[in-house]
Every structure is written in C-alpha cells, then in structure tokens.
Amino acid sequence: MLNRRVVLALAGLLLVAAGPSDPPVVRVRLVTSAGDIVVALEARRAPKTVANFLRYVDDGRLEGTYFYRAARRKGDPKLGFVQGGIGTDARRILPSVPLEPTSLTGLKHLNGTISMAHGADPNSAHGNFSIMVGDNPALDARPGNPGYAAFGRVIGGMPTVQRILAMPTGGGRGAMRGQMILRRVTIQRAERLDGVAKPTGRAKPWLIKLPWRKD
C-alpha cells in the first residue's frame, strides 16, 4: 500500500502533467492612442466568443487596428457604444464563430460590457467588437432577434472609452451613417494579463509591406 508521501508526490506529478487550466475570467489590456482599456472576459460563460477574441489577441491581429465608430444616442450623446477591431481588413480575418446569445450566457449589454460585432448573419462574428457606454438592452437577445454576444466587461479605463465616444464623427452608410470617427483611435497593442497565449500559427499577411499601401 502506498504511503502518504508517495501519494502526494504522484498527485504533484499529475498536476504538472495536466498543465495550468484557463482561468474562468481572462483579463486583456488594450493599449490605444487614447489611453489603456482593461477588459475581463467571461471564459466560462461565453467560451466560444472569448476564445475567438483571444485568437486575435494572441496572434497580434488587433495591433495596428482601430476604434473606428462612435454610436451616440440622439437623446443623450454621452451614452451609446464604441466599436473597434479589424474593420474590413481581410488580411487579418479568421473563421467566424457561432453566436452565443445573451439568453444563453446570461451576460447583458450593460455599461462597460464588451460584445462581438456581427453582420446580417448572427454567426458571422470575427475580429470586431463594441464596448457599451450606458446600458444597451436593445442588443440583448429577444424573440425574433438573436442580438449580439456579450462576453465580458471593462474593469479599467472606462474614461478612455467615454473619450472615444465623444470624438468627432461623420461619414458612414446605413446604420453607421454619421458614426465613423474622423480621426480613428489606434489599437497599438492587445495583450493578455491572465492565462497562456495560444497563437493560431496562421499566416500574417498584414505584416507584409507592400509599396502601394500606407498602413
């Protein structure tokens, strides 16, 4: 029969072999030209959405992208949301993920919530995201509308988000008409503060410098 010391040693070896597990909440810092923003991502409650966002973080796909949209409420321009990410840069895009609606995760679009953007297809989210300034329940799931996938919240730098929302806007089409930030805010770096980075290993064509591109 194994004694207590041997049992403890074997248990320690098993823990080392298993490696560290992903924490239930993963913090990410967005270093921007307007200031830093720190978000806490709900990896247990919205695992697919968080994993998708972290692919862009771990690959460096958000570095050199922008906050490009400030959607202010007509009745109160201090409220609304800001949107950023890869925009329409197809060089950075990864396969999209299925929507995790708020009705499934229990995460709502409250003040400071970070949420994945998507197109007409609710399962088309990739590398663009929004941050709420004030509550935006219209983005939650409801009968006949799947809404958007909330997946975390701002825990530091909310004044930076508010400054971005207040920046001069114009241009745009459709739902974005008049909401494009005229002098976009650069996302200089996106970095994990928890867990271990898991790069995808995919090609990074945006790093190839072409003589006719200025970015």
Side-chain angles (χ1 to χ4, degrees):
M1 187 172 181
L2 295 175
N3 61 34
R4 183 171 180 273
R5 184 175 297 178
V6 173
V7 170
L8 289 174
L10 289 172
L13 287 172
L14 288 172
L15 287 173
V16 171
S21 60
D22 287 334
V25 176
V26 180
R27 294 171 301 155
V28 170
R29 178 187 292 120
L30 302 174
V31 179
T32 85
S33 57
D36 291 2
I37 303 167
V38 180
V39 293
L41 309 181
E42 297 281 356
R44 295 285 170 83
R45 299 176 70 180
K48 295 177 183 178
T49 311
V50 170
N52 173 65
F53 186 79
L54 289 175
R55 291 187 302 167
Y56 286 88
V57 172
D58 294 344
D59 271 6
R61 291 174 188 268
L62 293 178
E63 293 181 10
T65 62
Y66 303 95
F67 279 99
Y68 51 81
R69 182 185 182 191
R72 295 183 284 269
R73 290 187 195 169
K74 292 181 179 180
D76 190 346
K78 292 184 179 180
L79 302 177
F81 63 86
V82 299
Q83 190 168 318
I86 68 171
T88 58
D89 190 347
R91 300 170 301 169
R92 299 173 184 260
I93 196 169
L94 293 169
S96 58
V97 295
L99 176 70
E100 290 179 309
T102 56
S103 55
L104 175 66
T105 65
L107 300 170
K108 304 297 184 182
H109 288 85
L110 306 176
N111 182 47
T113 294
I114 183 170
S115 176
M116 291 306 299
H118 63 68
D121 178 359
N123 297 314
S124 63
H126 43 79
N128 292 300
F129 59 93
S130 302
I131 298 177
M132 308 299 114
V133 181
D135 298 350
N136 284 290
L139 301 182
D140 292 339
R142 57 187 186 277
N145 188 333
Y148 293 81
F151 65 102
R153 66 194 184 283
V154 173
I155 59 171
M158 198 62 194
T160 298
V161 180
Q162 294 166 335
R163 282 196 296 274
I164 297 172
L165 182 68
M167 290 180 173
T169 57
R173 295 181 297 176
M176 294 188 181
R177 185 176 179 82
Q179 298 179 355
M180 309 312 290
I181 298 173
L182 298 180
R183 297 186 65 178
R184 299 177 300 178
V185 174
T186 305
I187 300 174
Q188 299 164 338
R189 188 169 69 256
E191 56 192 10
R192 275 185 187 245
L193 301 180
D194 300 298
V196 178
K198 301 173 184 176
T200 65
R202 291 174 175 263
K204 300 180 179 182
W206 71 92
L207 296 178
I208 300 172
K209 300 299 181 182
L210 301 174
W212 58 85
R213 294 190 69 104
K214 295 182 179 181
D215 57 343

